[in-house]
């Protein structure tokens, strides 16, 4: 039996370790920094660095690294050893306060969207004391923010921390109005559920598309897919179970609270959900989780696919971002209360979210946009590309009666007058769970379900935090000036419901009628990345983020540029990989097969001239027709790519060109190739089939 409590966090420089190893004053200084984000006094930093180093060396570490999250979507690190030369050719192990607090790195190879060019090539990493340092691969990892010389954020962590700060400020204003003087800090909490596929390494190695792009670009549908619904929550196969146990342990050591693991809807698809944490730490842990999912898989001769749509025709993978706001006194502000007073406060926070999601639907959509996620949204397996909120029937009925000033009948049919003073007890458990909603209230938190499986959670939370901060700012300003607080509160809630109820939708999001209905309601439907990205730089959105100092206009324009360029790059790699696979693997295979058939026909003819050869001839004709089709499609895709690669194309026009011209050309090529896969002898087909990949792990 393993001692899990002892194992948990054993590689983390957490509060307990700090309390043991730091002087009382240094420990308190670090705690204060954690609470209010102020920088540490240099002498304290020196003490912390020294304690960290001693602890890390005892655990076998020889190196340290500032660990950061550039705009590539994955993490970056540059290792330095602790060694420092002394007289006589000896070394000692050293780590200074300065090295802990600030690092310098060449930023020129990371995407900066033009920000760096305007300033200088150097980038700086700054210790984020709110997230614990940890040891991995004999290296001390120090979570850091990454910015340019001028202080512009070049990463995903900085804006997240800024947005948490913005929200904190506005929530505290609102809480004062409700008399909560004891709350000094609130934090957003996030619990991301992560979906992934596991396939055999040997299969993976034979698929250039998986290696280059993370998804299959060719592949005929298997005869069995997920239609029997026999995988979801099904018994976990022993190789997968061994992987999950191993993954749990590795993550526990790093203090990641992985909790739930089960099979998902598609064959070979699984899910891991950690227990929620402060948004910033959850984002760091999510990065670690994705990295370790891949690493641990390699040890089991498996490959973990985090792509949003590795296989056409079976469900893709997403990430559910469970989100709430918590006070330092331990209260979840999205938990409906037991008293009318508590519920009035709950309703105000609920309204803040409703207003935020309605006003910034475009930004929420953009925050989860990627080439990979375009395959999921609206494909009857993930939420549609239209953003809406699910509240459940009961909560919606309560809001309706509030809006209309009518009586609300609880389930027990006890008639109550609904005013802010006499709110009924709220349903604490939304039993009517809705899986098709992009943004669902699930009892005491919201679940934003549009995220792609491979994306870091920072961006969507930046948008949520900032948009909700903006709602609360408006509310606080209005209520702070009110003479009759309760009257003003009731009026405000009614007004917000009236203005923003169009965003509430409790029905089936997969239903086509909803697309029509959403249009009538004036909600945005932005099906692809190229459609939604321009929203990123709309004046209203720039104004929002500038107001709360989460992004400057320059930072937003740079990010817009990075996203557009990145989209084009992904499409470019996919299209080229297709061309190469078709040309070098598929065409030779089908020609060989055609030749085999032709030879068989000739041989049979020579042996018995009158023998009817219907099977061979039909097959050869079909193969020949599709081969010609394949060749035409291949030439067409090549031509499109030549146009896409013309120099100096406007990034948005290029993204639209990929959407409108290149993707349809890729689809046509795939259709011909998949048709051939169904005809050609298995031993000649150059890649493992969908069936091989999806059902090989036992
Ligand atoms: P389901 O699959 O039904 O959505 P899970 O239990 O798999 O539910 O996941 C729910 C997730 O929500 C978990 O990661 C959980 O820790 C997280 N969660 C619960 N409460 C909160 C909260 N207050 N804030 C953020 N996340 C939360
Ligand atoms: Mg969920």
């Amino acid at each position: 039996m393993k001692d899990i409590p002892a194992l948990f966090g054993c590689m983390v420089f957490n509060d307990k370790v700090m309390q043991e190893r730091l002087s009382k004053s240094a420990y308190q200084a670090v705690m204060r920094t954690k609470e209010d984000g102020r920088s540490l006094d240099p002498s304290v930093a020196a003490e912390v660095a020294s304690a960290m180093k001693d602890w890390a060396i005892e655990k076998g570490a020889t190196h340290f690294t500032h660990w950061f999250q550039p705009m590539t979507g994955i993490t970056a690190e540059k290792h330095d050893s602790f060694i420092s030369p002394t007289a006589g050719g000896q070394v000692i192990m050293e780590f200074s306060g300065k090295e802990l607090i600030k690092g310098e790195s060449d930023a020129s190879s990371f995407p900066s969207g033009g920000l760096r060019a305007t300033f200088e090539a150097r980038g700086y990493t700054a210790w984020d004391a709110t997230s614990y340092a940890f040891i991995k691969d004999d290296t001390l990892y120090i979570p850091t923010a990454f910015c340019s010389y001028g202080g512009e954020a070049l990463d995903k962590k900085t804006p997240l921390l800024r947005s948490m700060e913005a929200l904190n400020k506005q929530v505290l204003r609102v809480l004062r109005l409700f008399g909560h003087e004891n709350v000094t800090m609130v934090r957003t909490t996030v619990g991301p559920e992560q979906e992934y596929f596991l396939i055999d390494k040997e299969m993976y190695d034979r698929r250039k598309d998986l290696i280059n792009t993370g998804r299959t670009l060719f592949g005929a549908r298997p005869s069995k897919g997920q239609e029997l619904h026999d995988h979801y929550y099904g018994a976990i196969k022993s190789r997968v179970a061994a992987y999950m146990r191993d993954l749990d342990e590795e993550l526990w050591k790093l203090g990641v609270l992985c909790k739930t693991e089960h099979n998902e809807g598609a064959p070979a698809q699984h899910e891991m959900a950690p227990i929620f944490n402060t948004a910033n730490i959850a984002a760091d842990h999510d990065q670690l989780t994705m990295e370790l999912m891949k690493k641990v898989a390699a040890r089991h001769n498996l490959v973990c696919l985090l792509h949003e749509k590795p296989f056409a025709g079976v469900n893709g993978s997403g990430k559910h971002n469970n989100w709430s706001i918590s006070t330092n006194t331990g209260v979840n502000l999205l938990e409906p209360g037991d008293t009318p007073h508590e519920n009035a406060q709950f309703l105000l926070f609920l309204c803040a979210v409703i207003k935020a999601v309605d006003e910034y639907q475009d930004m929420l959509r953009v925050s989860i946009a990627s080439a990979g996620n375009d395959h999921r949204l609206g494909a009857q397996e993930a939420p549609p590309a239209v953003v809406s909120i699910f509240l459940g029937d009961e909560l919606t009925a309560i809001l309706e009666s509030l809006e209309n000033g009518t009586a609300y009948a609880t389930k027990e049919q006890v008639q109550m007058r609904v005013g802010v003073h006499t709110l009924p007890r709220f349903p604490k458990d939304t039993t009517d769970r809705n899986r098709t909603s992009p943004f669902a209230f699930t009892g005491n938190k919201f679940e934003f379900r549009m995220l792609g499986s491979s994306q870091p959670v920072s961006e969507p939370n930046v948008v949520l935090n900032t948009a909700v901060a903006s709602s609360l700012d408006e509310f606080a300003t209005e209520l702070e000036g009110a003479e009759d607080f309760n009257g003003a509160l009731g009026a405000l809630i009614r007004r917000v419901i009236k203005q923003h109820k169009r965003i509430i939708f409790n029905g089936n999001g997969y239903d086509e009628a909803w697309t029509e209905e959403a249009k009538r309601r004036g909600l945005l439907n932005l099906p692809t990345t190229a459609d939604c990205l321009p929203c990123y730089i709309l004046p209203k959105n720039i104004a929002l983020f500038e107001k709360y100092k989460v992004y400057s206009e320059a930072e937003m324009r740079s990010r817009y540029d990075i996203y557009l360029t990145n989209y084009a790059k992904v499409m470019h790699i996919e299209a080229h990989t297709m061309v190469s696979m078709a040309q070098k693997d598929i065409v030779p295979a089908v020609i060989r097969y055609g030749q085999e058939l032709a030879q068989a026909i000739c041989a049979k003819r020579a042996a018995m001239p009158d023998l009817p050869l219907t099977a061979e001839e039909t097959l050869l004709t079909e193969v020949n027709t599709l081969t010609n089709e394949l060749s035409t499609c291949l030439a067409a895709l090549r031509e499109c790519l030549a146009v896409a690669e013309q120099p100096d194309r406007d990034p948005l026009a290029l993204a639209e060109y990929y959407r409108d011209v290149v993707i349809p050309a890729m689809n046509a090529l795939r259709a011909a190739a998949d048709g051939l896969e169904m005809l050609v002898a298995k031993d000649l087909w150059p890649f493992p089939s969908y069936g091989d990949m999806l059902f090989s792990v036992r």
Side-chain angles (χ1 to χ4, degrees):
M1 244 318 251
K2 287 211 168 93
D3 183 357
I4 305 297
L7 184 82
F8 187 83
C10 67
M11 291 299 185
V12 182
F13 195 73
N14 55 23
D15 288 356
K16 184 169 160 277
V17 180
M18 283 191 262
Q19 206 162 13
E20 281 163 13
R21 291 176 175 255
L22 296 177
S23 66
K24 203 167 169 200
S25 63
Y27 175 73
Q28 281 168 347
V30 174
M31 290 302 128
R32 274 198 303 275
T33 303
K34 270 184 78 172
E35 298 267 298
D36 60 21
R38 259 179 303 168
S39 53
L40 263 193
D41 182 81
S43 65
V44 177
E47 187 186 329
V48 177
S50 167
M52 250 188 207
K53 179 205 68 183
D54 292 343
W55 169 80
I57 289 172
E58 280 166 37
K59 297 261 177 198
T62 51
H63 289 67
F64 70 93
T65 180
H66 275 200
W67 183 63
F68 57 105
Q69 305 177 14
M71 294 301 293
T72 51
I74 51 173
T75 58
E77 48 196 71
K78 184 185 106 202
H79 295 205
D80 280 300
S81 71
F82 289 123
I83 64 164
S84 172
T86 57
Q90 308 272 292
V91 294
I92 51 164
M93 302 297 258
E94 256 184 1
F95 183 48
S96 70
K98 243 170 83 188
E99 285 171 308
L100 167 65
I101 290 179
K102 190 172 159 193
E104 211 180 284
S105 70
D106 182 4
S108 57
S109 299
F110 293 106
S112 80
L115 268 186
R116 202 191 41 244
T118 12
F119 299 90
E120 60 158 272
R122 249 177 310 172
Y124 293 88
T125 49
W127 179 35
D128 166 21
T130 63
S131 183
Y132 301 129
F134 56 91
I135 296 172
K136 186 166 72 69
D137 302 327
D138 296 334
T139 300
L140 171 67
Y141 279 73
I142 299 150
T144 57
F146 179 48
C147 59
S148 74
Y149 178 71
E152 282 85 8
L154 297 174
D155 69 346
K156 305 211 174 224
K157 182 189 269 283
T158 310
L160 180 60
L161 290 171
R162 291 176 185 162
S163 73
M164 289 168 73
E165 190 45 49
L167 185 63
N168 174 54
K169 198 167 151 193
Q170 302 307 329
V171 174
L172 288 181
R173 279 178 72 198
V174 169
L175 289 180
R176 294 285 170 274
L177 291 166
F178 284 90
H180 299 291
E181 298 297 334
N182 54 342
V183 178
T184 54
M185 187 186 62
V186 301
R187 285 278 181 255
T188 30
T189 49
V190 167
E193 299 161 59
Q194 173 77 48
E195 292 180 344
Y196 60 99
F197 279 84
L198 277 183
I199 66 164
D200 198 274
K201 169 95 169 44
E202 195 236 331
M203 307 280 168
Y204 174 88
D205 287 340
R206 288 160 55 206
R207 301 262 344 186
K208 253 182 265 175
D209 45 7
L210 284 179
I211 294 171
N212 285 358
T213 73
R215 76 176 179 107
T216 53
L217 300 168
F218 296 104
R221 307 287 149 93
S223 11
K224 177 181 188 289
Q226 62 190 64
E227 44 288 278
L228 296 178
H229 300 285
D230 51 357
H231 195 254
Y232 189 64
Y233 278 36
I236 298 174
K237 305 214 171 75
S238 53
R239 245 177 109 187
V240 175
Y243 165 82
M244 287 176 170
R245 290 296 84 80
D246 203 1
L247 177 66
D248 275 348
E249 266 186 35
E250 290 298 329
L251 288 171
W252 286 338
K253 283 187 208 163
L254 297 176
V256 178
L257 294 153
C258 17
K259 173 87 176 157
T260 313
E261 253 137 339
H262 60 79
N263 287 349
E264 259 302 321
Q269 193 184 30
H270 313 281
E271 180 184 295
M272 193 285 273
I275 296 171
F276 68 95
N277 214 321
T278 302
N280 176 39
I281 296 173
D284 285 359
H285 283 180
D286 180 53
Q287 290 277 13
L288 279 175
T289 301
M290 291 194 285
E291 186 189 319
L292 280 163
M293 278 183 159
K294 292 187 170 174
K295 252 196 196 156
V296 172
R299 296 212 285 255
H300 293 254
N301 216 21
L302 296 166
V303 175
C304 171
L305 304 176
L306 290 176
H307 193 282
E308 284 73 20
K309 192 73 178 175
F311 305 101
V314 292
N315 278 1
S317 302
K319 180 142 43 190
H320 290 177
N321 186 83
N322 294 275
W323 177 94
S324 190
I325 312 170
S326 239
T327 68
N328 62 329
T329 52
V331 178
N332 175 356
L333 295 174
L334 291 178
E335 176 90 49
D338 289 327
T339 66
H341 184 72
E342 284 168 1
N343 278 338
Q345 182 187 305
F346 162 75
L347 274 177
L348 191 67
F349 284 109
L350 186 71
C351 283
V353 178
I354 293 172
K355 175 173 151 74
V357 174
D358 187 30
E359 285 178 347
Y360 297 100
Q361 342 163 2
D362 52 351
M363 277 308 289
L364 284 168
R365 171 65 185 90
V366 174
S367 76
I368 51 92
S370 70
N373 220 9
D374 283 357
H375 298 288
R376 290 175 66 237
L377 302 175
Q380 308 288 306
E381 55 163 68
V386 181
V387 177
S388 67
I389 300 182
F390 169 87
L391 288 182
D393 293 339
E394 248 181 311
L395 202 47
T396 305
I398 290 174
L399 294 190
E400 260 162 25
S401 42
L402 276 172
E403 182 196 349
N404 305 325
T406 53
Y408 170 75
T410 61
K411 270 199 172 141
E412 296 81 36
Q413 293 303 305
V414 183
Q415 296 287 327
M416 290 173 119
R417 276 297 300 170
V418 179
V420 171
H421 297 291
T422 51
L423 286 170
R425 274 183 72 118
F426 283 179
K428 287 221 171 182
D429 185 25
T430 25
T431 39
D432 43 352
R433 303 201 109 213
N434 175 314
R435 295 257 155 215
T436 65
S437 174
F439 201 94
F441 183 69
T442 46
N444 59 4
K445 62 187 187 304
F446 277 99
E447 186 170 345
F448 186 25
R449 302 202 182 111
M450 292 173 95
L451 284 74
S453 48
S454 68
Q455 97 166 96
V457 295
S458 340
E459 223 94 30
N461 287 299
V462 167
V463 175
L464 257 175
N465 292 345
T466 315
V468 173
S470 163
S471 304
L472 291 172
D473 184 1
E474 258 179 56
F475 294 177
T477 305
E478 184 171 329
L479 296 175
E480 278 161 0
E483 274 174 26
D484 164 20
F485 176 74
N486 285 321
L489 179 62
L492 189 153
I493 289 173
R494 266 191 298 283
R495 196 184 67 230
V496 172
I497 298 168
K498 213 180 268 315
Q499 274 173 1
H500 299 287
K501 65 179 173 190
R502 65 169 185 171
I503 198 78
I504 298 166
F505 175 63
N506 294 324
N508 178 5
Y510 296 172
D511 197 343
E512 260 173 44
W514 166 232
T515 317
E516 281 309 304
E517 163 76 14
K519 200 167 164 185
R520 258 195 313 276
R521 293 190 188 186
L523 300 179
L524 292 169
N525 186 0
L526 304 163
T528 72
T529 301
D531 298 317
C532 70
L533 273 180
C535 299
Y536 200 81
I537 47 166
L538 288 179
K540 75 159 179 99
N541 293 333
I542 293 181
L544 170 77
F545 291 98
E546 283 221 297
K547 179 166 183 195
Y548 296 97
K549 300 194 166 39
V550 172
Y551 291 124
S552 67
E553 177 163 358
E555 285 171 341
M556 288 189 81
R557 291 197 180 276
S558 80
R559 269 153 217 260
Y560 171 64
D561 196 65
I562 291 170
Y563 294 137
L564 270 180
T565 317
N566 186 272
Y567 173 74
K569 281 183 186 159
V570 169
M571 293 316 305
H572 175 90
I573 295 170
E574 288 195 353
H576 273 278
T577 304
M578 278 194 103
V579 167
S580 150
M581 288 172 80
Q583 186 70 57
K584 297 197 169 147
D585 301 306
I586 301 176
V587 168
V590 293
I591 290 178
R592 245 173 252 155
Y593 189 52
Q595 193 181 358
E596 237 177 53
L597 289 170
Q599 278 168 350
I601 293 170
C602 288
K604 286 187 180 178
R605 283 251 157 79
M608 289 178 74
D610 296 330
L611 201 63
L613 298 174
T614 326
E616 289 89 338
E617 283 173 356
T618 312
L619 195 50
L620 181 56
T621 312
E622 277 181 314
V623 169
N624 203 55
T625 309
L626 272 179
T627 306
N628 289 336
E629 170 81 15
L630 182 80
S631 158
T632 311
C633 292
L634 184 54
L637 180 55
R638 279 222 170 92
E639 247 168 65
C640 300
L641 280 176
V643 176
E645 281 156 21
Q646 283 163 359
D648 301 325
R649 292 203 59 160
D650 168 67
L652 180 60
L654 182 59
E656 287 167 349
Y657 183 77
Y658 273 108
R659 177 194 64 194
D660 299 335
V661 182
V662 180
I663 292 179
M666 287 166 68
N667 292 343
L669 178 62
R670 176 175 185 151
D674 292 357
L676 282 162
E677 185 182 348
M678 307 285 277
L679 299 177
V680 172
K682 188 161 174 69
D683 62 330
L684 283 180
W685 196 253
F687 321 115
S689 69
Y690 267 34
D692 294 337
M693 288 183 281
L694 291 169
F695 298 100
S696 64
V697 179
R698 274 166 225 294

